[in-house]
Amino acid sequence: MLRIERISKTFDPNSVNAKKALDDLSLIAEDGDFITIIGANGAGKSTLFNAIGGSFFVDSGRIVLEDQDITYVKSNLRAKKIGHLFQDPMASTAPDMSIIENLALAGMNKGMFSRITANDRDYFREKLKELDMDLDKRMDTPVRLLSGGQRQALGLLMATVNKPQLLLLDEHTAALDPGSAEKVMELTCRIVEDNGITCLMITHDMNKAIEYGNKIVMMDQGRIIQTIDKSTQKNITVEDLILSFRNRQGKDLDNDRMLLGI
Ligand SMILES: Nc1ncnc2c1ncn2[C@@H]1O[C@H](COP(=O)(O)OP(=O)(O)O)[C@@H](O)[C@H]1O
Ligand SMILES: [Mg+2]
């Protein structure tokens, strides 16, 4: 379980550019939850993930993962328990290293082993085969030669190679063509389900937020303004989300990307 208790974060606090990106935000993700997170550009979604991943320490509040207070744990130690995947497929892989080297590096960073053996190679070949993207036959190919979809599938495998307690997906299919995006989403659901990983997924696409996961969280101005539990509120539509935003915030969603799902 992930428990976030009243966290706040202000960037550049003592300057005219001071920006409160997280404002007294609390969130609970139960084991096995798959929560989709939506909100206009600048709502603080990525900042929330960066706070959980430990890119910076929050100004106040607490972050607890599986009963361990990780508020002041360094990011490299958090990475052993938390997988984090970004929109840019380049961000999670080393382009000049081969597929197998990238996987080995991910395994080492997550404390699985200190050097790769023939057994590990076989294990990873099997895992790559399961992705069904022809990566198992190209284990020694530099990652820069892969398509965006292949690279994001590899990133997904790297992020989950040690069965993390938590997976953070920050618009991880937004930069892919529709076919690859669908394939990567399918893999995401399979990996998350097979391993029972608790998952938070940011998406700008309200249809995706409705389609995937068991809860929807809507953010605005560094706060959570609504949580929808799909087991109690069934058949939610995009129109419901837009109306609900207007009712709560007294303004319209000002984000074409989010409204159009592009
Ligand atoms: N490292 C940073 N330094 C200064 N301001 C930042 C930083 N990261 C994010 N912000 C600001 O915090 C706000 C929230 O950003 P972000 O979390 O990226 O929004 P979202 O992912 O919802 O689009 C924005 O106003 C953004 O400019
Ligand atoms: Mg973002």
Side-chain angles (χ1 to χ4, degrees):
M1 182 167 98
L2 170 73
R3 209 167 66 238
I4 295 174
E5 294 174 1
R6 308 192 59 172
I7 58 170
S8 292
K9 175 69 187 177
T10 301
F11 290 112
D12 306 316
N14 298 315
S15 82
V16 286
N17 298 321
K19 172 74 201 176
K20 192 161 202 174
L22 294 175
D23 187 4
D24 207 26
L25 181 149
S26 298
L27 171 71
I28 286 182
E30 308 279 0
D31 289 345
D33 264 353
F34 187 143
I35 301 179
T36 55
I37 300 177
I38 54 175
N41 283 339
K45 306 180 295 297
S46 296
T47 302
L48 169 62
F49 277 16
N50 292 337
I52 298 169
S55 312
F56 54 79
F57 291 153
V58 290
D59 302 331
S60 55
R62 257 168 33 110
I63 303 173
V64 180
L65 183 63
E66 306 290 326
D67 291 328
Q68 189 198 351
D69 188 330
I70 59 166
T71 316
Y72 297 107
V73 171
K74 286 193 182 138
S75 61
N76 59 326
L77 292 176
R78 293 191 210 190
K80 294 186 200 304
K81 295 180 176 169
I82 301 174
H84 197 166
L85 201 54
F86 303 87
Q87 177 172 342
D88 179 2
M90 307 282 273
S92 29
T93 48
D96 291 327
M97 288 167 69
S98 67
I99 292 177
I100 186 71
E101 286 168 340
N102 268 276
L103 281 165
L105 198 62
M108 287 178 209
N109 286 341
K110 289 175 183 296
M112 287 173 75
F113 44 70
S114 55
R115 70 181 189 89
I116 191 154
T117 63
N119 270 350
D120 297 326
R121 213 182 144 87
D122 290 344
Y123 172 79
F124 284 136
R125 184 178 294 111
E126 215 36 55
K127 288 281 157 199
L128 287 165
K129 208 171 191 167
E130 286 170 18
L131 296 181
D132 193 23
M133 286 192 124
D134 291 332
L135 295 175
D136 51 307
K137 301 177 194 98
R138 305 177 65 188
M139 283 174 49
D140 297 304
T141 302
V143 165
R144 70 183 139 76
L145 298 180
L146 305 181
S147 70
Q150 285 176 322
R151 211 181 285 193
Q152 213 54 329
L154 175 63
L156 193 58
L157 189 55
M158 287 165 64
T160 54
V161 70
N162 65 333
K163 299 193 176 131
Q165 291 168 348
L166 182 67
L167 179 61
L168 305 173
L169 303 169
D170 192 343
E171 303 204 44
H172 72 308
T173 64
L176 305 178
D177 64 85
S180 304
E182 196 169 319
K183 174 86 203 191
V184 170
M185 260 329 293
E186 194 187 300
L187 288 173
T188 303
C189 293
R190 184 163 16 117
I191 290 174
V192 163
E193 221 162 273
D194 287 354
N195 296 291
I197 301 170
T198 306
C199 180
L200 306 184
M201 179 175 86
I202 296 171
T203 177
H204 65 265
D205 182 340
M206 289 198 269
N207 288 304
K208 272 212 179 69
I210 291 167
E211 183 178 351
Y212 297 103
N214 62 321
K215 283 179 192 160
I216 305 173
V217 158
M218 190 186 277
M219 282 185 67
D220 191 44
Q221 297 180 324
R223 298 193 201 117
I224 290 176
I225 56 167
Q226 191 181 9
T227 303
I228 295 167
D229 185 336
K230 289 190 199 165
S231 65
T232 50
Q233 283 173 273
K234 295 186 169 46
N235 306 321
I236 295 282
T237 64
V238 171
E239 289 69 33
D240 293 335
L241 294 176
I242 292 169
L243 263 177
S244 154
F245 184 88
R246 184 187 296 156
N247 290 340
R248 274 157 210 268
Q249 299 308 96
K251 64 181 183 190
D252 282 324
L253 261 172
D254 55 352
N255 195 326
D256 290 348
R257 220 172 133 236
M258 214 177 132
L259 290 175
L260 300 173
I262 50 171

